Amino acid sequence: MSENKSAQPKVTLHWLNQSRAQRIVWLLEELNLDYDIECHIRNSAMLAPEGSQSLHPLGKFPIVVVGDRVLAESGFIIEYFVDKFGPQLKPSDEDSLLRYKYFLHYAEGSLMPPMLVGIVVENINKASVPFFIKPLINMITGGVETRFLKPNYKTHFDFLEAELSSRPYLAGEEFSGADIMISFQLAAAKRVCGLSKEEYPKLFEYMERCESREACKRAYKKTKEMEAAGTKL
Amino acid sequence: MSENKSAQPKVTLHWLNQSRAQRIVWLLEELNLDYDIECHIRNSAMLAPEGSQSLHPLGKFPIVVVGDRVLAESGFIIEYFVDKFGPQLKPSDEDSLLRYKYFLHYAEGSLMPPMLVGIVVENINKASVPFFIKPLINMITGGVETRFLKPNYKTHFDFLEAELSSRPYLAGEEFSGADIMISFQLAAAKRVCGLSKEEYPKLFEYMERCESREACKRAYKKTKEMEAAGTKL
Protein backbone atom coordinates (compact mmCIF):
# COMPACT_ATOMS: atom_id res chain seq x y z
CA MET A 1 0.00 0.00 0.00
CA SER A 2 1.40 3.41 -0.92
CA GLU A 3 2.15 6.03 1.68
CA ASN A 4 -0.55 8.21 0.19
CA LYS A 5 -3.33 5.87 1.08
CA SER A 6 -2.90 5.85 4.85
CA ALA A 7 -3.09 9.66 5.08
CA GLN A 8 -5.74 10.39 2.49
CA PRO A 9 -9.30 11.50 3.18
CA LYS A 10 -12.19 9.69 1.48
CA VAL A 11 -12.31 10.55 -2.24
CA THR A 12 -15.43 10.16 -4.39
CA LEU A 13 -15.33 10.96 -8.09
CA HIS A 14 -18.63 11.74 -9.80
CA TRP A 15 -18.03 10.50 -13.31
CA LEU A 16 -20.18 11.14 -16.41
CA ASN A 17 -19.61 9.08 -19.55
CA GLN A 18 -18.07 10.89 -22.54
CA SER A 19 -17.02 13.85 -20.47
CA ARG A 20 -14.03 15.62 -18.97
CA ALA A 21 -14.36 13.32 -15.95
CA GLN A 22 -12.38 10.67 -17.85
CA ARG A 23 -9.13 12.47 -17.16
CA ILE A 24 -9.76 12.48 -13.41
CA VAL A 25 -10.05 8.67 -13.37
CA TRP A 26 -6.65 8.62 -15.06
CA LEU A 27 -5.28 11.13 -12.53
CA LEU A 28 -6.50 9.10 -9.54
CA GLU A 29 -5.03 5.93 -11.06
CA GLU A 30 -1.67 7.70 -11.57
CA LEU A 31 -1.70 8.78 -7.94
CA ASN A 32 -2.59 5.30 -6.73
CA LEU A 33 -5.24 6.71 -4.41
CA ASP A 34 -8.19 4.83 -2.97
CA TYR A 35 -11.38 6.30 -4.42
CA ASP A 36 -14.99 5.53 -5.10
CA ILE A 37 -16.71 6.32 -8.38
CA GLU A 38 -20.30 7.40 -8.65
CA CYS A 39 -21.30 6.63 -12.21
CA HIS A 40 -23.65 9.01 -14.10
CA ILE A 41 -24.83 8.16 -17.61
CA ARG A 42 -26.00 10.67 -20.24
CA ASN A 43 -29.66 10.48 -21.27
CA SER A 44 -30.89 9.95 -24.83
CA ALA A 45 -30.43 13.68 -25.57
CA MET A 46 -26.77 13.23 -24.49
CA LEU A 47 -27.34 15.49 -21.47
CA ALA A 48 -26.22 14.79 -17.91
CA PRO A 49 -29.02 13.12 -15.92
CA GLU A 50 -31.39 15.23 -13.81
CA GLY A 51 -30.25 16.12 -10.31
CA SER A 52 -26.57 16.77 -10.98
CA GLN A 53 -26.97 20.31 -9.63
CA SER A 54 -27.51 18.79 -6.19
CA LEU A 55 -23.87 17.66 -6.32
CA HIS A 56 -22.45 21.05 -7.38
CA PRO A 57 -24.35 24.24 -8.34
CA LEU A 58 -23.09 24.13 -11.95
CA GLY A 59 -24.07 20.46 -12.40
CA LYS A 60 -21.01 19.88 -14.63
CA PHE A 61 -18.71 16.87 -14.42
CA PRO A 62 -16.14 15.98 -13.10
CA ILE A 63 -17.09 16.64 -9.49
CA VAL A 64 -14.85 15.25 -6.77
CA VAL A 65 -15.71 15.04 -3.08
CA VAL A 66 -12.61 14.95 -0.88
CA GLY A 67 -13.49 14.68 2.80
CA ASP A 68 -16.05 17.48 3.14
CA ARG A 69 -14.84 19.51 0.15
CA VAL A 70 -16.63 19.49 -3.21
CA LEU A 71 -14.23 20.23 -6.06
CA ALA A 72 -15.07 21.13 -9.66
CA GLU A 73 -13.15 22.41 -12.73
CA SER A 74 -10.66 19.92 -14.21
CA GLY A 75 -7.62 22.20 -14.14
CA PHE A 76 -8.19 23.01 -10.49
CA ILE A 77 -8.88 19.37 -9.55
CA ILE A 78 -5.63 18.24 -11.18
CA GLU A 79 -3.69 21.04 -9.49
CA TYR A 80 -5.25 20.19 -6.11
CA PHE A 81 -4.50 16.46 -6.24
CA VAL A 82 -1.00 16.91 -7.61
CA ASP A 83 -0.18 19.45 -4.89
CA LYS A 84 -1.57 17.23 -2.11
CA PHE A 85 -0.76 13.71 -3.23
CA GLY A 86 1.32 13.70 -6.41
CA PRO A 87 4.65 15.57 -6.37
CA GLN A 88 5.81 13.10 -9.05
CA LEU A 89 3.31 14.67 -11.49
CA LYS A 90 4.67 18.21 -11.01
CA PRO A 91 8.02 19.26 -12.48
CA SER A 92 10.70 20.64 -10.18
CA ASP A 93 12.85 22.73 -12.54
CA GLU A 94 11.49 26.23 -13.14
CA ASP A 95 11.07 26.13 -16.93
CA SER A 96 9.12 22.86 -16.80
CA LEU A 97 7.08 24.00 -13.81
CA LEU A 98 6.00 27.16 -15.62
CA ARG A 99 5.07 25.14 -18.70
CA TYR A 100 3.08 22.74 -16.46
CA LYS A 101 1.11 25.68 -15.04
CA TYR A 102 0.67 27.28 -18.46
CA PHE A 103 -0.73 24.10 -20.03
CA LEU A 104 -3.12 23.52 -17.12
CA HIS A 105 -4.78 26.77 -18.23
CA TYR A 106 -4.19 26.41 -21.97
CA ALA A 107 -6.22 23.22 -22.51
CA GLU A 108 -9.59 24.75 -21.58
CA GLY A 109 -8.68 28.43 -21.94
CA SER A 110 -7.25 28.44 -25.48
CA LEU A 111 -7.44 25.05 -27.17
CA MET A 112 -11.04 24.23 -26.28
CA PRO A 113 -12.90 27.37 -27.47
CA PRO A 114 -12.47 26.89 -31.23
CA MET A 115 -13.30 23.20 -30.80
CA LEU A 116 -16.50 24.13 -29.00
CA VAL A 117 -17.46 26.48 -31.82
CA GLY A 118 -16.77 23.59 -34.21
CA ILE A 119 -19.20 21.36 -32.32
CA VAL A 120 -21.91 24.05 -32.33
CA VAL A 121 -21.48 24.62 -36.06
CA GLU A 122 -21.68 20.87 -36.65
CA ASN A 123 -24.97 20.76 -34.74
CA ILE A 124 -26.39 23.69 -36.70
CA ASN A 125 -25.40 21.88 -39.93
CA LYS A 126 -27.24 18.79 -38.73
CA ALA A 127 -30.42 20.70 -37.79
CA SER A 128 -33.50 19.53 -39.60
CA VAL A 129 -34.53 22.17 -42.18
CA PRO A 130 -36.22 22.01 -45.61
CA PHE A 131 -33.76 20.63 -48.21
CA PHE A 132 -33.68 23.84 -50.26
CA ILE A 133 -32.50 25.80 -47.20
CA LYS A 134 -29.65 23.43 -46.45
CA PRO A 135 -27.15 24.98 -48.93
CA LEU A 136 -27.69 28.42 -47.42
CA ILE A 137 -27.17 27.16 -43.88
CA ASN A 138 -24.04 25.39 -45.08
CA MET A 139 -22.82 28.55 -46.78
CA ILE A 140 -23.04 30.50 -43.54
CA THR A 141 -21.53 27.82 -41.31
CA GLY A 142 -18.99 27.01 -44.02
CA GLY A 143 -17.79 30.60 -43.68
CA VAL A 144 -17.19 30.07 -39.96
CA GLU A 145 -15.32 26.90 -40.78
CA THR A 146 -13.06 28.39 -43.45
CA ARG A 147 -12.37 31.76 -41.88
CA PHE A 148 -12.31 30.84 -38.19
CA LEU A 149 -12.11 27.13 -37.40
CA LYS A 150 -9.54 25.75 -39.83
CA PRO A 151 -6.93 28.49 -39.27
CA ASN A 152 -7.43 28.20 -35.51
CA TYR A 153 -7.02 24.43 -35.48
CA LYS A 154 -3.88 24.74 -37.58
CA THR A 155 -2.38 27.37 -35.27
CA HIS A 156 -2.96 25.18 -32.20
CA PHE A 157 -1.81 21.90 -33.71
CA ASP A 158 1.30 23.52 -35.23
CA PHE A 159 2.08 25.01 -31.83
CA LEU A 160 1.70 21.67 -30.04
CA GLU A 161 3.66 19.80 -32.71
CA ALA A 162 6.53 22.27 -32.28
CA GLU A 163 6.40 22.05 -28.48
CA LEU A 164 6.46 18.24 -28.60
CA SER A 165 9.30 18.18 -31.10
CA SER A 166 11.67 19.57 -28.49
CA ARG A 167 10.70 17.35 -25.53
CA PRO A 168 8.73 14.15 -24.85
CA TYR A 169 5.99 15.62 -22.63
CA LEU A 170 4.14 18.94 -22.55
CA ALA A 171 5.99 20.36 -19.56
CA GLY A 172 9.38 18.74 -20.03
CA GLU A 173 11.26 15.48 -19.80
CA GLU A 174 8.74 13.88 -17.45
CA PHE A 175 5.06 13.07 -17.66
CA SER A 176 2.99 15.55 -15.58
CA GLY A 177 -0.56 16.56 -14.69
CA ALA A 178 -0.56 18.84 -17.74
CA ASP A 179 -0.48 15.76 -20.01
CA ILE A 180 -3.61 14.44 -18.30
CA MET A 181 -5.25 17.86 -18.61
CA ILE A 182 -4.83 18.11 -22.38
CA SER A 183 -5.85 14.50 -23.12
CA PHE A 184 -9.55 15.37 -23.34
CA GLN A 185 -9.00 18.06 -25.97
CA LEU A 186 -6.62 15.93 -28.03
CA ALA A 187 -8.99 12.97 -28.07
CA ALA A 188 -11.76 15.31 -29.22
CA ALA A 189 -9.45 16.90 -31.82
CA LYS A 190 -8.94 13.53 -33.50
CA ARG A 191 -12.70 13.04 -33.65
CA VAL A 192 -13.98 16.49 -34.62
CA CYS A 193 -11.10 18.57 -36.01
CA GLY A 194 -9.44 16.16 -38.40
CA LEU A 195 -6.18 15.99 -36.41
CA SER A 196 -4.17 13.42 -38.36
CA LYS A 197 -1.03 11.38 -37.77
CA GLU A 198 0.32 12.25 -41.22
CA GLU A 199 0.29 15.97 -40.56
CA TYR A 200 1.21 15.86 -36.88
CA PRO A 201 3.48 12.86 -36.25
CA LYS A 202 5.09 14.19 -33.04
CA LEU A 203 1.72 14.94 -31.52
CA PHE A 204 0.50 11.42 -32.31
CA GLU A 205 3.67 9.80 -30.93
CA TYR A 206 3.14 11.86 -27.79
CA MET A 207 -0.49 10.74 -27.43
CA GLU A 208 0.57 7.11 -27.85
CA ARG A 209 3.33 7.61 -25.25
CA CYS A 210 0.76 8.94 -22.75
CA GLU A 211 -1.89 6.34 -23.55
CA SER A 212 0.57 3.49 -23.07
CA ARG A 213 0.89 4.29 -19.36
CA GLU A 214 -0.56 1.59 -17.13
CA ALA A 215 -2.68 4.10 -15.19
CA CYS A 216 -4.24 5.35 -18.43
CA LYS A 217 -5.05 1.80 -19.51
CA ARG A 218 -6.58 0.98 -16.12
CA ALA A 219 -8.71 4.14 -16.28
CA TYR A 220 -9.89 3.29 -19.78
CA LYS A 221 -10.81 -0.29 -18.81
CA LYS A 222 -12.63 0.82 -15.68
CA THR A 223 -14.73 3.43 -17.44
CA LYS A 224 -15.51 1.19 -20.44
CA GLU A 225 -17.01 -1.33 -18.02
CA MET A 226 -19.01 1.34 -16.21
CA GLU A 227 -20.33 2.75 -19.46
CA ALA A 228 -21.35 -0.70 -20.72
CA ALA A 229 -23.09 -1.49 -17.42
CA GLY A 230 -24.70 1.96 -17.20
CA THR A 231 -26.11 2.05 -20.70
CA LYS A 232 -27.69 -1.38 -20.15
CA LEU A 233 -29.78 -0.01 -17.28
CA MET B 1 9.01 53.38 -4.90
CA SER B 2 7.83 49.95 -3.84
CA GLU B 3 10.18 47.13 -2.89
CA ASN B 4 8.97 45.17 -5.88
CA LYS B 5 10.39 47.62 -8.37
CA SER B 6 14.05 47.38 -7.43
CA ALA B 7 14.11 43.58 -7.83
CA GLN B 8 11.89 43.15 -10.86
CA PRO B 9 13.00 42.20 -14.37
CA LYS B 10 11.82 44.29 -17.31
CA VAL B 11 8.11 43.70 -17.99
CA THR B 12 6.44 44.43 -21.34
CA LEU B 13 2.72 43.88 -21.80
CA HIS B 14 1.46 43.41 -25.35
CA TRP B 15 -2.02 44.86 -25.15
CA LEU B 16 -4.82 44.57 -27.74
CA ASN B 17 -7.87 46.81 -27.47
CA GLN B 18 -11.16 45.12 -26.49
CA SER B 19 -9.42 41.96 -25.37
CA ARG B 20 -8.49 39.91 -22.33
CA ALA B 21 -5.33 42.01 -22.08
CA GLN B 22 -7.32 44.66 -20.22
CA ARG B 23 -7.21 42.62 -17.03
CA ILE B 24 -3.40 42.39 -17.14
CA VAL B 25 -3.10 46.20 -17.16
CA TRP B 26 -5.24 46.16 -14.02
CA LEU B 27 -3.08 43.40 -12.49
CA LEU B 28 0.16 45.30 -13.13
CA GLU B 29 -1.36 48.47 -11.68
CA GLU B 30 -2.45 46.54 -8.56
CA LEU B 31 1.08 45.21 -8.16
CA ASN B 32 2.59 48.66 -8.62
CA LEU B 33 5.21 47.26 -11.02
CA ASP B 34 7.14 49.19 -13.63
CA TYR B 35 6.08 48.03 -17.07
CA ASP B 36 5.94 49.06 -20.69
CA ILE B 37 2.91 48.61 -22.89
CA GLU B 38 3.08 47.76 -26.55
CA CYS B 39 -0.24 48.85 -27.97
CA HIS B 40 -1.92 46.74 -30.70
CA ILE B 41 -5.17 47.91 -32.31
CA ARG B 42 -7.73 45.66 -33.99
CA ASN B 43 -8.24 46.14 -37.73
CA SER B 44 -11.55 46.99 -39.40
CA ALA B 45 -12.58 43.30 -39.29
CA MET B 46 -11.99 43.44 -35.51
CA LEU B 47 -9.07 41.03 -35.80
CA ALA B 48 -5.66 41.40 -34.19
CA PRO B 49 -3.19 43.07 -36.55
CA GLU B 50 -0.90 40.97 -38.75
CA GLY B 51 2.33 39.77 -37.20
CA SER B 52 1.12 38.96 -33.70
CA GLN B 53 2.29 35.36 -34.16
CA SER B 54 5.86 36.66 -34.12
CA LEU B 55 5.28 37.59 -30.47
CA HIS B 56 3.84 34.19 -29.43
CA PRO B 57 2.96 31.20 -31.66
CA LEU B 58 -0.77 31.48 -30.90
CA GLY B 59 -0.86 35.20 -31.66
CA LYS B 60 -3.46 35.77 -28.93
CA PHE B 61 -3.39 38.62 -26.42
CA PRO B 62 -2.40 39.26 -23.63
CA ILE B 63 1.25 38.42 -24.13
CA VAL B 64 3.71 39.48 -21.45
CA VAL B 65 7.47 39.48 -21.77
CA VAL B 66 9.25 39.24 -18.42
CA GLY B 67 13.02 39.31 -18.76
CA ASP B 68 13.52 36.66 -21.44
CA ARG B 69 10.28 34.76 -20.78
CA VAL B 70 7.22 35.12 -23.01
CA LEU B 71 4.03 34.44 -21.07
CA ALA B 72 0.54 33.84 -22.45
CA GLU B 73 -2.83 32.65 -21.07
CA SER B 74 -4.51 35.09 -18.65
CA GLY B 75 -5.00 32.61 -15.79
CA PHE B 76 -1.36 31.61 -15.91
CA ILE B 77 -0.12 35.21 -16.21
CA ILE B 78 -2.12 36.25 -13.14
CA GLU B 79 -0.89 33.22 -11.18
CA TYR B 80 2.72 33.94 -12.22
CA PHE B 81 2.72 37.62 -11.23
CA VAL B 82 0.83 37.06 -7.99
CA ASP B 83 3.25 34.29 -6.98
CA LYS B 84 6.33 36.39 -7.82
CA PHE B 85 5.31 39.92 -6.94
CA GLY B 86 1.88 40.02 -5.31
CA PRO B 87 1.35 37.97 -2.14
CA GLN B 88 -1.31 40.53 -1.19
CA LEU B 89 -3.48 39.29 -4.10
CA LYS B 90 -3.42 35.64 -2.92
CA PRO B 91 -5.41 34.51 0.11
CA SER B 92 -3.60 32.82 2.97
CA ASP B 93 -6.36 30.76 4.62
CA GLU B 94 -6.96 27.41 2.96
CA ASP B 95 -10.64 27.79 2.04
CA SER B 96 -10.04 31.15 0.36
CA LEU B 97 -6.86 29.94 -1.31
CA LEU B 98 -8.69 26.98 -2.87
CA ARG B 99 -11.48 29.25 -4.07
CA TYR B 100 -8.84 31.61 -5.55
CA LYS B 101 -7.33 28.71 -7.51
CA TYR B 102 -10.73 27.37 -8.53
CA PHE B 103 -11.91 30.72 -9.90
CA LEU B 104 -8.65 31.26 -11.83
CA HIS B 105 -9.72 28.20 -13.86
CA TYR B 106 -13.47 28.77 -13.74
CA ALA B 107 -13.52 32.12 -15.61
CA GLU B 108 -12.21 30.73 -18.91
CA GLY B 109 -12.94 27.03 -18.34
CA SER B 110 -16.63 27.18 -17.41
CA LEU B 111 -18.07 30.68 -17.59
CA MET B 112 -16.62 31.67 -20.96
CA PRO B 113 -17.72 28.72 -23.19
CA PRO B 114 -21.48 29.43 -23.25
CA MET B 115 -20.71 33.13 -23.74
CA LEU B 116 -18.53 32.28 -26.72
CA VAL B 117 -21.32 30.20 -28.24
CA GLY B 118 -23.61 33.20 -27.68
CA ILE B 119 -21.25 35.45 -29.63
CA VAL B 120 -21.03 32.94 -32.53
CA VAL B 121 -24.82 32.61 -32.66
CA GLU B 122 -25.14 36.39 -32.67
CA ASN B 123 -22.77 36.59 -35.65
CA ILE B 124 -24.67 33.90 -37.54
CA ASN B 125 -27.88 35.86 -36.89
CA LYS B 126 -26.25 38.98 -38.30
CA ALA B 127 -24.97 37.22 -41.45
CA SER B 128 -26.24 38.71 -44.66
CA VAL B 129 -28.77 36.30 -46.22
CA PRO B 130 -31.91 36.79 -48.38
CA PHE B 131 -34.75 38.20 -46.23
CA PHE B 132 -36.99 35.13 -46.67
CA ILE B 133 -34.24 32.90 -45.19
CA LYS B 134 -33.81 35.05 -42.09
CA PRO B 135 -36.71 33.51 -40.11
CA LEU B 136 -35.31 30.01 -40.66
CA ILE B 137 -31.84 31.00 -39.54
CA ASN B 138 -33.39 32.65 -36.50
CA MET B 139 -35.44 29.55 -35.78
CA ILE B 140 -32.31 27.39 -35.67
CA THR B 141 -30.17 29.81 -33.68
CA GLY B 142 -33.17 30.62 -31.49
CA GLY B 143 -33.23 26.96 -30.51
CA VAL B 144 -29.59 27.17 -29.36
CA GLU B 145 -30.48 30.27 -27.40
CA THR B 146 -33.53 28.84 -25.65
CA ARG B 147 -32.29 25.34 -24.97
CA PHE B 148 -28.60 25.98 -24.33
CA LEU B 149 -27.63 29.60 -23.76
CA LYS B 150 -30.32 30.99 -21.47
CA PRO B 151 -30.30 28.05 -19.01
CA ASN B 152 -26.49 28.12 -18.95
CA TYR B 153 -26.29 31.84 -18.28
CA LYS B 154 -28.84 31.48 -15.50
CA THR B 155 -26.91 28.62 -13.87
CA HIS B 156 -23.68 30.62 -13.87
CA PHE B 157 -25.14 33.93 -12.72
CA ASP B 158 -27.19 32.23 -9.97
CA PHE B 159 -24.03 30.46 -8.82
CA LEU B 160 -22.00 33.69 -8.72
CA GLU B 161 -24.81 35.60 -7.02
CA ALA B 162 -24.93 32.93 -4.30
CA GLU B 163 -21.15 32.91 -3.88
CA LEU B 164 -21.05 36.71 -3.59
CA SER B 165 -23.92 36.79 -1.11
CA SER B 166 -21.76 35.08 1.48
CA ARG B 167 -18.56 37.14 1.09
CA PRO B 168 -17.41 40.40 -0.53
CA TYR B 169 -14.93 38.94 -3.04
CA LEU B 170 -14.78 35.75 -5.09
CA ALA B 171 -12.16 34.01 -2.97
CA GLY B 172 -13.03 35.44 0.44
CA GLU B 173 -12.87 38.57 2.58
CA GLU B 174 -10.10 40.16 0.52
CA PHE B 175 -9.73 41.20 -3.11
CA SER B 176 -7.52 38.71 -5.04
CA GLY B 177 -6.20 37.85 -8.50
CA ALA B 178 -9.36 35.80 -9.08
CA ASP B 179 -11.42 39.02 -9.08
CA ILE B 180 -9.21 40.41 -11.85
CA MET B 181 -9.49 37.12 -13.75
CA ILE B 182 -13.30 37.10 -13.87
CA SER B 183 -13.65 40.80 -14.73
CA PHE B 184 -13.41 40.19 -18.49
CA GLN B 185 -16.25 37.66 -18.48
CA LEU B 186 -18.49 39.78 -16.26
CA ALA B 187 -18.01 42.88 -18.40
CA ALA B 188 -18.91 40.78 -21.46
CA ALA B 189 -21.89 39.24 -19.65
CA LYS B 190 -23.43 42.66 -19.13
CA ARG B 191 -23.03 43.41 -22.82
CA VAL B 192 -24.01 40.13 -24.48
CA CYS B 193 -25.90 37.95 -21.97
CA GLY B 194 -28.37 40.43 -20.49
CA LEU B 195 -26.85 40.25 -16.99
CA SER B 196 -28.90 42.83 -15.09
CA LYS B 197 -28.66 44.62 -11.76
CA GLU B 198 -32.31 43.91 -10.96
CA GLU B 199 -31.86 40.15 -11.17
CA TYR B 200 -28.33 39.96 -9.74
CA PRO B 201 -27.86 42.77 -7.21
CA LYS B 202 -24.99 41.14 -5.26
CA LEU B 203 -23.05 40.48 -8.44
CA PHE B 204 -23.47 44.12 -9.50
CA GLU B 205 -22.46 45.44 -6.06
CA TYR B 206 -19.39 43.21 -6.30
CA MET B 207 -18.47 44.53 -9.77
CA GLU B 208 -18.83 48.11 -8.52
CA ARG B 209 -16.67 47.26 -5.48
CA CYS B 210 -13.91 45.93 -7.76
CA GLU B 211 -14.17 48.73 -10.32
CA SER B 212 -13.89 51.38 -7.61
CA ARG B 213 -10.31 50.31 -6.85
CA GLU B 214 -7.73 52.93 -7.76
CA ALA B 215 -5.66 50.43 -9.79
CA CYS B 216 -8.70 49.50 -11.86
CA LYS B 217 -9.48 53.15 -12.55
CA ARG B 218 -5.86 53.85 -13.54
CA ALA B 219 -5.89 50.82 -15.91
CA TYR B 220 -9.15 51.99 -17.48
CA LYS B 221 -7.85 55.54 -18.00
CA LYS B 222 -4.56 54.35 -19.46
CA THR B 223 -6.16 52.01 -21.98
CA LYS B 224 -8.87 54.49 -22.98
CA GLU B 225 -6.13 56.91 -23.95
CA MET B 226 -4.21 54.25 -25.88
CA GLU B 227 -7.32 53.17 -27.73
CA ALA B 228 -8.21 56.74 -28.66
CA ALA B 229 -4.66 57.41 -29.89
CA GLY B 230 -4.41 54.04 -31.69
CA THR B 231 -7.67 54.30 -33.59
CA LYS B 232 -6.73 57.78 -34.81
CA LEU B 233 -3.63 56.45 -36.56
Side-chain angles (χ1 to χ4, degrees):
Chain A
M1 181 177 276
S2 82
E3 278 180 50
N4 285 338
K5 290 187 178 178
S6 54
Q8 75 161 86
K10 180 170 161 55
V11 173
T12 304
L13 166 61
H14 288 274
W15 175 86
L16 176 73
N17 62 319
Q18 296 185 43
S19 83
R20 290 163 166 87
Q22 183 62 29
R23 53 189 167 192
I24 307 302
V25 187
W26 183 7
L27 172 75
L28 294 170
E29 289 294 327
E30 288 283 350
L31 297 179
N32 200 26
L33 291 175
D34 278 329
Y35 64 100
D36 296 328
I37 296 191
E38 289 281 333
C39 172
H40 304 261
I41 298 288
R42 292 178 186 274
N43 62 25
S44 57
M46 285 304 286
L47 297 174
E50 294 283 320
S52 54
Q53 289 204 332
S54 68
L55 303 169
H56 183 279
L58 299 182
K60 286 179 64 190
F61 295 83
I63 299 162
V64 187
V65 184
V66 185
D68 55 4
R69 282 193 198 286
V70 179
L71 310 180
E73 206 69 42
S74 302
F76 170 63
I77 293 171
I78 292 176
E79 195 183 347
Y80 176 90
F81 275 95
V82 168
D83 283 348
K84 293 259 182 192
F85 307 107
Q88 71 276 21
L89 294 186
K90 185 174 177 172
S92 48
D93 71 285
E94 194 183 10
D95 282 349
S96 303
L97 182 62
L98 291 179
R99 279 194 294 260
Y100 161 80
K101 292 181 177 186
Y102 166 77
F103 281 112
L104 278 191
H105 285 280
Y106 165 82
E108 295 290 345
S110 274
L111 178 54
M112 194 65 210
M115 294 174 61
L116 177 69
V117 173
I119 292 165
V120 172
V121 164
E122 194 178 63
N123 284 335
I124 290 177
N125 277 339
K126 280 194 261 171
S128 144
V129 292
F131 75 93
F132 57 93
I133 300 300
K134 207 83 184 173
L136 279 154
I137 303 278
N138 291 347
M139 192 187 72
I140 294 163
T141 55
V144 177
E145 203 162 320
T146 315
R147 286 198 308 272
F148 177 77
L149 293 178
K150 286 193 172 170
N152 257 290
Y153 294 157
K154 182 170 165 28
T155 298
H156 282 286
F157 302 153
D158 285 354
F159 167 58
L160 290 169
E161 182 78 2
E163 292 286 298
L164 291 162
S165 297
S166 60
R167 54 183 185 275
Y169 294 102
L170 269 190
E173 292 302 312
E174 306 293 337
F175 179 82
S176 78
D179 300 303
I180 298 175
M181 184 68 192
I182 208 167
S183 62
F184 174 78
Q185 276 73 25
L186 293 182
K190 284 198 276 186
R191 217 174 49 242
V192 301
C193 315
L195 176 62
S196 80
K197 193 169 185 165
E198 290 65 37
E199 277 185 279
Y200 297 100
K202 292 287 176 191
L203 196 44
F204 268 75
E205 275 171 33
Y206 159 77
M207 287 190 271
E208 284 162 9
R209 199 174 304 131
C210 292
E211 286 160 12
S212 71
R213 296 177 68 85
E214 290 307 318
C216 183
K217 290 190 217 164
R218 285 198 302 276
Y220 186 74
K221 183 165 180 287
K222 196 170 231 181
T223 54
K224 270 281 155 207
E225 286 165 6
M226 283 194 297
E227 177 142 31
T231 49
K232 267 185 234 143
L233 291 177
Chain B
M1 184 177 272
S2 83
E3 280 180 47
N4 283 337
K5 291 188 179 179
S6 54
Q8 74 161 85
K10 180 171 161 57
V11 173
T12 303
L13 165 63
H14 289 273
W15 175 87
L16 176 73
N17 61 319
Q18 296 186 42
S19 83
R20 289 162 167 86
Q22 183 63 29
R23 53 189 168 192
I24 308 302
V25 187
W26 183 7
L27 172 74
L28 294 169
E29 289 294 327
E30 288 282 350
L31 297 180
N32 200 26
L33 291 175
D34 277 331
Y35 63 101
D36 295 330
I37 296 190
E38 288 282 333
C39 173
H40 304 262
I41 298 289
R42 292 179 187 274
N43 61 27
S44 57
M46 285 306 285
L47 298 173
E50 295 283 321
S52 53
Q53 289 203 332
S54 69
L55 302 169
H56 181 279
L58 298 182
K60 286 179 63 190
F61 295 84
I63 299 163
V64 187
V65 183
V66 185
D68 54 4
R69 284 193 194 286
V70 179
L71 310 180
E73 206 68 45
S74 302
F76 170 62
I77 293 171
I78 292 176
E79 196 183 345
Y80 176 89
F81 275 96
V82 168
D83 284 349
K84 293 258 181 193
F85 307 106
Q88 70 278 20
L89 293 186
K90 186 174 176 172
S92 48
D93 71 287
E94 194 183 10
D95 282 348
S96 302
L97 182 62
L98 291 178
R99 279 193 295 259
Y100 161 80
K101 292 181 175 185
Y102 167 77
F103 281 112
L104 278 191
H105 285 280
Y106 164 82
E108 294 291 344
S110 274
L111 178 54
M112 193 64 211
M115 294 172 60
L116 177 68
V117 173
I119 292 165
V120 172
V121 164
E122 195 180 60
N123 284 335
I124 290 177
N125 278 338
K126 279 194 264 175
S128 143
V129 292
F131 75 93
F132 57 92
I133 300 299
K134 208 80 185 175
L136 279 152
I137 303 277
N138 290 347
M139 192 185 73
I140 295 163
T141 55
V144 177
E145 202 163 321
T146 314
R147 286 197 308 272
F148 177 77
L149 293 178
K150 286 195 173 169
N152 257 290
Y153 294 158
K154 181 171 167 28
T155 299
H156 282 287
F157 301 153
D158 285 355
F159 167 58
L160 290 169
E161 182 77 3
E163 292 286 299
L164 291 162
S165 297
S166 60
R167 53 183 186 274
Y169 294 102
L170 269 191
E173 292 301 312
E174 306 293 336
F175 178 82
S176 79
D179 300 304
I180 298 175
M181 184 67 191
I182 208 167
S183 62
F184 174 77
Q185 276 74 23
L186 293 182
K190 284 198 278 187
R191 216 175 47 242
V192 300
C193 315
L195 176 62
S196 79
K197 193 168 185 168
E198 291 64 38
E199 276 185 280
Y200 297 102
K202 292 286 174 190
L203 197 43
F204 268 74
E205 275 172 33
Y206 158 77
M207 288 190 271
E208 284 163 9
R209 200 175 303 130
C210 292
E211 287 160 11
S212 72
R213 296 177 68 84
E214 290 306 317
C216 182
K217 290 190 218 164
R218 285 199 302 275
Y220 186 74
K221 183 166 182 284
K222 196 171 232 181
T223 55
K224 270 282 155 203
E225 285 165 5
M226 284 194 299
E227 178 143 31
T231 49
K232 267 185 236 144
L233 291 177

